[in-house]
Amino acid sequence: MLTPAEAEKLMLEAIPLLHREDCTLEEAHGRVLRGDIRADRDLPPFDRVTMDGFALRSADMAAGARKFKVGATQAAGMRPFEMEEGLCCIEVMTGAVLPSGADCVIPYEDAERGGSHVSIRAGASAGPGQHIHRRGSDHGAGDVVVRAGARLTGREIAVAAACGYPALTVTCSPKVAVVSTGDELVEVGAAVAAHQVRRSNDYALRAGLIRAGYPRVERFHLRDVRHEIEHMLWHILAEHDVVLITGGVSKGKFDFLPSELARQGVNKIFHGVAQRPGKPFWFGISGRMTPVFALPGNPVSAYTCLHRYVLPALDHASGCEARLPLMAALSEAVTFTPRLARLLPVTLASGPGAQLLAKPAPVNSSGDFSGLVGTDGFVELPAGLDEFPAGHAAPFRGWV
């Protein structure tokens, strides 16, 4: 049976890259950038004043001058004034272009205005470049400021706006189907019998996908009836870019999905990963290159597999930079005897040396979804060891 790393490798090799499109800057938040953003001019584009005060020549102060004639007042957005000859200065506001001929700024608190002149207080100093954000000191014209693969937040969008990009090339947002299966499931608002449970997996997976940057999600439910599965599955595969299925992938008498997926032309890449929870996880690609993730029906298994496999795969297909796991140290020893990798829920804390600590928070079973409430994510402990001492470092993945 595959290890989690082997399963991930097969999955990333098989999943196709999603198409790209152009979108306006207003609609770009959360999308994955597919073309570099370059500076269209120097950043900043001029010597920029960073303090309210008076711009002057530092050489005049170095020569002993302390009193200067105020020649003009220059605000942000104004064309720069040119310094006159002699002991003069120009009053400037934060964000203004540095006046021509000046090379430093004396803040208001280091000066005292009297009529048309200003006196520099004792102890105030001035040197070339003081309180000036130099032209091109952030980036030169043509520099790559944001690389393709970034998921766009307000930071990247601010850069795009400053560089003159009214639209950006991004990954198309995939249309995702989340399909829950099983006769025991009823909708949340419906009457529930003693032998039934309410649907929760499809709601949880949809919420996780949206939070991770994949908002186009539809929910479906399939009963354990072969002809219904056949009919609905054909339409779902034809109309969606990504399909997530929960339940029906184990080896029970009514687990029809693996055989039906094969009959409808979905090529199985793998079925089963040596891990707990989520051992029956299944992955394949349809004839029209639609990735199909069949997750176990137990809620903890489904939610954990979403974060361990589905979201990294969708990021990869989007051209997104990989979300690499952090390394966290176990805050206490863990014993786990099955020869499986363990995806163990944890809560995070900071150790005395600012070390990231993971406190084990095991759930009662893979059906105990409520046990995940209050946890921060999970660590992945490899198969082959029975004991993991306190301090053992393991990759941590956070819930979205």
Side-chain angles (χ1 to χ4, degrees):
M1 192 173 291
L2 298 174
T3 66
E6 290 168 342
E8 181 181 37
K9 183 175 184 293
L10 289 173
M11 188 178 59
L12 297 186
E13 289 173 349
I15 196 166
L17 192 64
L18 293 165
H19 296 296
R20 64 180 70 191
E21 65 182 0
D22 291 339
C23 77
T24 64
L25 205 55
E26 290 86 350
E27 299 172 333
H29 184 269
R31 307 294 292 275
V32 176
L33 184 67
R34 292 287 287 272
D36 294 340
I37 297 175
R38 293 180 178 272
D40 65 330
R41 55 179 181 164
D42 292 340
L43 294 177
F46 49 79
D47 287 342
R48 177 179 170 271
V49 172
T50 61
M51 292 283 284
D52 297 333
F54 301 92
L56 46 77
R57 303 178 187 91
S58 60
D60 290 339
M61 282 191 61
R66 284 292 184 271
K67 188 172 184 179
F68 299 87
K69 179 183 177 181
V70 182
T73 299
Q74 185 172 312
M78 295 176 60
R79 293 181 181 275
F81 288 102
E82 186 170 352
M83 295 275 288
E84 299 175 3
E85 294 296 327
L87 298 178
C88 64
C89 66
I90 293 177
E91 188 175 17
V92 290
M93 308 295 125
T94 300
V97 181
L98 183 69
S100 178
D103 68 352
C104 70
V105 174
I106 303 298
Y108 279 147
E109 53 266 34
D110 289 339
E112 185 174 347
R113 181 77 178 262
S116 61
H117 286 74
V118 64
S119 297
I120 309 304
R121 300 184 190 278
S125 61
Q130 178 175 283
H131 302 309
I132 298 167
H133 190 184
R134 286 296 189 188
R135 174 176 177 169
S137 59
D138 295 341
H139 291 280
D143 285 354
V144 175
V145 186
V146 182
R147 295 196 177 278
R151 190 171 291 277
L152 296 167
T153 68
R155 300 182 296 276
E156 293 81 13
I157 288 171
V159 169
C163 293
Y165 285 77
L168 294 170
T169 300
V170 298
T171 298
C172 292
S173 185
K175 188 178 180 182
V176 183
V178 175
V179 185
S180 59
T181 68
D183 291 343
E184 73 278 15
L185 302 178
V186 298
E187 185 52 275
V188 174
V192 59
H195 61 281
Q196 296 175 317
V197 293
R198 296 184 178 92
R199 288 165 58 183
S200 61
N201 279 350
D202 51 341
Y203 283 98
L205 297 177
R206 179 178 181 273
L209 286 160
I210 292 172
R211 181 64 185 269
Y214 302 100
R216 299 177 63 200
V217 185
E218 292 185 86
R219 297 183 303 110
F220 299 90
H221 176 235
L222 297 178
R223 296 189 302 160
D224 293 325
V225 179
R226 187 181 289 278
H227 72 272
E228 289 188 12
I229 293 175
E230 176 185 356
H231 175 74
M232 284 291 294
L233 195 57
W234 186 90
H235 285 282
I236 290 168
L237 287 169
E239 296 170 5
H240 292 81
D241 304 307
V242 179
V243 177
L244 272 66
I245 303 171
T246 65
V249 294
S250 294
K251 297 181 180 180
K253 186 174 181 179
F254 297 101
D255 290 332
F256 301 127
L257 275 169
S259 61
E260 184 56 36
L261 287 166
R263 203 182 70 80
Q264 296 204 22
V266 180
N267 177 41
K268 180 183 75 174
I269 305 300
F270 61 80
H271 186 187
V273 183
Q275 64 182 32
R276 183 179 292 176
K279 185 178 177 181
F281 178 57
W282 188 104
F283 173 72
I285 300 287
S286 78
R288 60 184 291 268
M289 299 305 291
T290 300
V292 179
F293 304 88
L295 285 58
N298 284 321
V300 174
S301 300
Y303 199 64
T304 303
C305 285
L306 172 75
H307 289 79
R308 180 60 182 89
Y309 300 106
V310 179
L311 296 182
L314 293 183
D315 285 352
H316 182 78
S318 298
C320 185
E321 295 175 347
R323 311 183 199 200
L324 298 177
L326 300 172
M327 295 302 292
L330 292 175
S331 64
E332 57 190 65
V334 172
T335 300
F336 188 65
T337 55
R339 295 300 178 179
L340 302 170
R342 187 174 191 191
L343 310 181
L344 176 66
V346 295
T347 57
L348 293 182
S350 179
Q355 182 184 31
L356 189 63
L357 296 179
K359 179 178 176 57
V363 296
N364 287 331
S365 72
S366 56
D368 179 22
F369 208 3
S370 63
L372 296 183
V373 175
T375 63
D376 296 303
F378 63 93
V379 292
E380 183 174 321
L381 303 177
L385 296 177
D386 295 342
E387 300 285 341
F388 298 91
H392 175 86
F396 166 82
R397 289 176 171 84
W399 311 126
V400 294

